[in-house]
Amino acid sequence: MSSRAIRTPCLVLFVAAALSSLLVCAVPSAFASSCPQQAAAAPAQNPVPLQVIVVASQSEAEKIRAELEQGADFSALAKDKSTDPTANSGGYMGMVDPASLRPELREALRGVAPGGLSAIVHLPSGYTILKVLAAAPPAQSSPSASQQPQQAEAQRSNMGLAGNALQAMSAQGIMRNTADVSGLNEAEGALARFNKPDDWNQDPTEICQMRKDSYAHAKSQLEKFLAGDPSAIPAGAPAGGPQPAGHMFDRIQAVFGLGQLAAYQGDMNDAIAQYEKAAALASQSLPDAMPVFDETLGVAYLQRSEVENNVYRDPGERCIFPIAQRDKYAKTADSSKAIQYFLRYLKQKPDELEVKWLLNIAYMTTGAYPAGVPPQYLLDPKLFESAENFGRFKDVAHAAGVDSFAMAGGVIVDDFDNDGLLDIVSSSMDMCQPLHYFHNNGDGSFTDRAAQAHLSDQLGGLNIIQADYNNDGCMDILVLRGGWEVPQRKSLLRNNCDGTFTDVTVAAGLAQPATSTQAAVWTDINNDGLLDLFVGSENGAAQLFLNNGDGTFKDISHSAGIDTVAYAKGVVAADYDNDGWPDLYVSNFQGENLLYHNNHDNTFTEVAHDAGVLGNGRGFAAFFLDYDNDGWPDIFVTSYFTSVDETVRTYLGLPHNVTTLKLYRNLGNGTFQDVTKSVGLNKVFMPMGGNFGDFDNDGFLDIYLGTGNPSYASLVPNVLLHNDGAKKFTDVTFSSGTGELHKGHGVAFADFENNGKVDIAEEIGGAVPGDRHAFRLFENPGNDNDWITVKLVGVKSNRSAIGARIHITVTNAGSAPREIYRTVGSGGSFGASPLEQHIGIGKNAHIDNIEIWWPTSGTRQNFKSVDANQFLQIKEFDTTFTKLTRRSYVLGGAKP
């Protein structure tokens, strides 16, 4: 085991790490999102960049401080010695307002100049040394690009400390983070600090076991601490008798931590009991924190109301926002209790948008919205009306047999057995849940064949993508693990062309090193007809694997110049400058995004600044799409700020404190123009998953976003954006009935019924077991616009035809000819649509020409006067196409 893995657990591990840092705010740091609104114990000051080292003993702290005074590197010592959650980030806490710290830490920092060290401070979490930096490091919680990749085992804890537990700053003001009621930080911290054997993260079964064991250990340690067990109390802390105020604070944190761990598992009865106990303790010593407890309890009761009414397993319309009176809950006692807590909170803080929003939702669940909502807190129903109406989508997942009940995960829609029917594969970040493989039966129903396909032992996976990497004509699967979590191995699953899959990760050379990732893309970087693999990493170096053509891959990350250390949440590929070679784009959660231009020699040059596509500083889902049909791939990238408040501001038309979505229009000269505002996308939605497709068949690509964050308080609708002829994007969420309130992740557009209308498949579910949710399969209501579906088969190019271009010239009745462009790929960076391309062409359409361009061979094929509303297969080099016969059916019903 590593030195870090064998450290003896102590209170710092199960309170400071497994729960949350004791350094920030005079309230439990799960509440730190509200710290800017609370009465401060000291005047607010300018935030300063801080580093921290926490160790278990006075003598060790003195030794470390002496080394620091002699010039030792603070970051290196933090990584090697510190037991704080920020250790793997070199102890970096972020930009911290000293007034938000505990009094003893504020005092220790008094008079410390930039570059200076604090005195040693003894806290319940350990012996603490702070350093004031002269400036924030350029990559705040990442190693420098010159270092070997250092995977951050405690990343989720780091995020809680340096992100959600601190003020999120922007040029406009202070962002109000969503109240953390989930237990995710606690569970992730427990896993990160738990003693684990070497290579534990190479075996999905072992990964599952470590999750279970670490959770049980964290809960046990908290219970021992509260029972007065000396082994669970740090040196110097009293075990019994009258307790000083500081120890009462620690007890509050511990009780609250038990509530969080219960909430993590979905045991809301126990969670509420612990939250109420913590609130009772806080009422005596932390009266200023009571509004925060009120919100926490309001969220907990509302979540229990959802569970009581079975809306997670059988959601129907009850999770579609705004919830109609006809869909009110049958059991409303817990919703009414939530309303009481939210009202009590708003009585003290009447302008808090997050709690107003949650209050209105709680009233919706009782059927009392809008009439029953106090006027001063009412959100006008007119806010939730769409300017356009294309009909209402219907969720048919359960009726069709797609009965997944899972946490956050990915989804692939494609034909895995070459029978002309689209199947569904879904994953879950639950480390103990296997993949689902829903085989399309061709009659409107699906059957889960994961066991028969040998996929039941593939556990976990926040995202999945597909490609025929070995050109055998059968679609393979890549499972990506460790996103937001500790590093874990990927899985490459080879399709055996007989209904089964084989895990070939080790043999292919993709198992080591394990990384934290949910982002990867298949693309042929050197036009040799073999699909290569680009993988983004969270707090590690990106990876580029060159396909050797024999089932193995070669890691060329460094020589290719793409091994930048970043916090990648989305990676996509497209030939943005139309030079015939695919380029790469990386959306980073922290810092600027990256655009790698392909140099045609297995190397890349980073050009994001010159191209004008640096992103918004907090990137997540991203994709290339030609939104204006000019033949030049544009870039869409989401911003991700965990703030219900900022999302509500979008609906209320209020100014934002954070950056918005970004749409960059390709100017065709190697640069892009930010058109976000002009097309109406200057909005904040908290998007995680996202993909694009033409749901109304007008020839312009629309966007669907899965939204949310891990907290149970994060109840915001998923978003459907209609592309109005490239002029603007209109939010049609409410009229379309696609505004699922719970967490949206993997998204795919696909024509399941073979009727020319693309439906929307979405993996719904949160980041904790208590937030599992049923899968959504939204059936398209349709219209009378025409369409064409094109399946390409590569010969010299890769068999999947990834990267091939489709250019359609179409004439609609009464209009001049127009151009429509598509590039073969699975779409977004979180969720995978079929590689066959469904293309809307508008009403009364005549297809004048279909041109296919194959980058590997340079071949151009042209097919004139093609009939609309049919399925075509076009093989590279062929002079004719094949018309495919596809069975049509109704999802969950009989054949039409």
Side-chain angles (χ1 to χ4, degrees), residues 497-510:
C497 301
D498 61 0
T500 68
F501 292 80
T502 299
D503 189 331
V504 295
T505 317
V506 174
L510 299 179

Side-chain angles (χ1 to χ4, degrees), residues 630-641:
D630 65 354
W632 296 90
D634 311 300
I635 296 175
F636 174 81
V637 60
T638 67
S639 63
Y640 186 65
F641 295 90

Side-chain angles (χ1 to χ4, degrees), residues 388-640:
E388 297 177 329
N389 189 343
F390 295 90
R392 195 167 180 87
F393 286 69
K394 177 185 177 183
D395 177 28
V396 295
H398 177 70
V402 186
D403 286 324
S404 170
F405 183 69
M407 289 163 56
V411 62
I412 302 169
V413 176
D414 219 313
D415 182 0
F416 285 95
D417 56 357
N418 292 327
D419 63 355
L421 300 168
L422 295 175
D423 310 303
I424 301 172
V425 178
S426 66
S427 67
S428 171
M429 71 180 291
D430 184 341
M431 296 176 178
C432 299
Q433 185 168 4
L435 296 181
H436 289 287
Y437 170 35
F438 294 104
H439 176 263
N440 191 328
N441 299 322
D443 60 0
S445 70
F446 293 79
T447 301
D448 192 347
R449 291 187 180 175
Q452 298 94 315
H454 301 167
L455 295 176
S456 296
D457 58 349
Q458 292 296 328
L459 308 178
L462 184 53
N463 198 11
I464 48 179
I465 57 174
Q466 85 278 27
D468 180 5
Y469 80 92
N470 57 357
N471 289 335
D472 66 354
C474 300
M475 204 66 70
D476 311 299
I477 299 171
L478 179 72
V479 182
L480 301 166
R481 298 187 178 93
W484 298 119
E485 299 179 311
V486 294
Q488 300 166 46
R489 63 161 276 183
K490 298 175 279 290
S491 286
L492 178 61
L493 309 177
R494 186 189 66 210
N495 190 332
N496 299 320
C497 301
D498 61 0
T500 68
F501 292 80
T502 299
D503 189 331
V504 295
T505 317
V506 174
L510 299 179
Q512 296 278 7
T515 59
S516 294
T517 184
Q518 63 172 55
V521 64
W522 293 99
T523 187
D524 184 358
I525 68 162
N526 54 2
N527 282 329
D528 65 353
L530 301 169
L531 286 173
D532 311 302
L533 178 64
F534 178 57
V535 183
S537 180
E538 299 178 4
N539 274 355
Q543 298 172 304
L544 181 58
F545 296 99
L546 195 68
N547 192 330
N548 294 322
D550 58 1
T552 68
F553 293 81
K554 177 183 179 182
D555 188 339
I556 62 167
S557 309
H558 184 68
S559 63
I562 60 84
D563 58 338
T564 305
V565 175
Y567 200 99
K569 296 303 293 182
V571 297
V572 287
D575 179 9
Y576 78 87
D577 57 351
N578 286 343
D579 67 352
W581 300 78
D583 311 295
L584 305 169
Y585 188 68
V586 182
S587 173
N588 289 317
F589 181 68
Q590 296 171 344
E592 298 173 343
N593 294 347
L594 305 168
L595 177 62
Y596 291 107
H597 178 259
N598 192 326
N599 298 325
H600 312 174
D601 60 0
N602 288 352
T603 71
F604 292 79
T605 300
E606 204 289 299
V607 297
H609 181 274
D610 291 342
V613 291
L614 291 175
N616 41 46
R618 189 69 73 89
F620 206 128
F623 34 83
F624 283 98
L625 81 166
D626 188 355
Y627 86 96
D628 55 358
N629 281 324
D630 65 354
W632 296 90
D634 311 300
I635 296 175
F636 174 81
V637 60
T638 67
S639 63
Y640 186 65

Side-chain angles (χ1 to χ4, degrees), residues 242-429:
Q243 306 298 331
H247 192 63
M248 177 58 72
F249 170 74
D250 300 332
R251 292 190 67 82
I252 294 170
Q253 287 237 101
V255 173
F256 182 81
L258 280 177
Q260 289 283 76
L261 289 175
Y264 175 83
Q265 293 286 24
D267 183 355
M268 298 313 295
N269 293 330
D270 187 27
I272 288 171
Q274 298 295 344
Y275 292 150
E276 288 177 337
K277 183 178 179 181
L281 293 171
S283 67
Q284 306 169 28
S285 55
L286 296 169
D288 289 341
M290 295 315 297
V292 185
F293 282 101
D294 289 338
E295 181 179 4
T296 299
L297 283 162
V299 171
Y301 273 105
L302 183 56
Q303 205 275 342
R304 191 168 78 173
S305 182
E306 293 179 300
V307 174
E308 280 287 301
N309 287 278
N310 202 32
V311 301
Y312 285 92
R313 287 187 179 272
D314 184 20
E317 293 280 313
R318 294 176 298 169
C319 299
I320 302 298
F321 187 84
I323 303 171
Q325 286 186 337
R326 66 177 181 275
D327 299 312
K328 66 181 181 180
Y329 292 179
K331 303 174 183 178
T332 59
D334 282 333
S335 290
S336 297
K337 190 74 172 179
I339 288 170
Q340 293 176 24
Y341 276 110
F342 292 145
L343 288 173
R344 191 160 75 180
Y345 181 104
L346 290 168
K347 186 175 181 179
Q348 300 181 67
K349 296 172 179 276
D351 297 324
E352 286 288 353
L353 295 180
E354 175 174 296
V355 181
K356 279 186 183 180
W357 176 269
L358 293 171
L359 175 70
N360 280 260
I361 290 177
Y363 272 110
M364 289 178 190
T365 68
T366 68
Y369 174 89
V373 183
Q376 67 271 34
Y377 305 135
L378 175 65
L379 297 178
D380 191 335
K382 292 181 179 179
L383 295 169
F384 313 124
E385 296 176 356
S386 300
E388 297 177 329
N389 189 343
F390 295 90
R392 195 167 180 87
F393 286 69
K394 177 185 177 183
D395 177 28
V396 295
H398 177 70
V402 186
D403 286 324
S404 170
F405 183 69
M407 289 163 56
V411 62
I412 302 169
V413 176
D414 219 313
D415 182 0
F416 285 95
D417 56 357
N418 292 327
D419 63 355
L421 300 168
L422 295 175
D423 310 303
I424 301 172
V425 178
S426 66
S427 67
S428 171
M429 71 180 291

